[in-house]
Amino acid sequence: QVQLVESGGGLVQPGGSLRLSCAASGTIFNAMAWYRQAPWKQRELVATITRGGITNYANSVKGQFTISRDNAKNTIYLQMNSLKPEDTAVYYCNTAGVVVYPWGQGTQVTVSS
């Protein structure tokens, strides 16, 4: 069973940037996604990427976030720019569409001055 470990979160001021990483313990053949869950809200899909690199984004982050993957390293990335307080959430990665792998612990992103 593949395990997912997210990292790279932290406290950042509005307008700042962060780069999240999601390391998988085995080879990922699936399309992958980043999700986020803000306090008192349901988990939502942020961005997806196929194994071949085709990407898709939620309207709320288009032009602001960039998802990428390194298949050789079994790692998914999320570059987040121009961060806003409303981007504050715990960020998770998993397969796109049907969730296949156990959820990792996530990585906390807090955008605050």
Side-chain angles (χ1 to χ4, degrees), residues 26-99:
T27 302
I28 309 170
F29 297 100
N30 314 71
M32 295 295 291
W34 281 98
Y35 301 82
R36 67 184 179 186
Q37 187 166 19
W40 313 113
K41 293 188 177 180
Q42 288 191 331
R43 192 172 296 175
E44 64 173 350
L45 179 66
V46 173
T48 64
I49 185 167
T50 66
R51 183 167 175 81
I54 298 172
T55 60
N56 201 7
Y57 298 91
N59 287 336
S60 58
V61 304
K62 271 182 188 173
Q64 183 189 359
F65 291 2
T66 302
I67 187 171
S68 60
R69 66 192 289 168
D70 185 332
N71 292 328
K73 295 182 178 179
N74 298 317
T75 302
I76 312 298
Y77 303 98
L78 187 68
Q79 177 67 43
M80 306 188 296
N81 298 328
S82 303
L83 283 161
K84 309 166 190 174
E86 52 263 43
D87 296 316
T88 294
V90 179
Y91 285 72
Y92 304 86
C93 67
N94 214 310
T95 47
V98 176
V99 170

Side-chain angles (χ1 to χ4, degrees), residues 10-27:
L11 173 63
V12 63
Q13 292 187 342
S17 298
L18 284 172
R19 188 192 195 207
L20 307 183
S21 298
C22 167
S25 61
T27 302

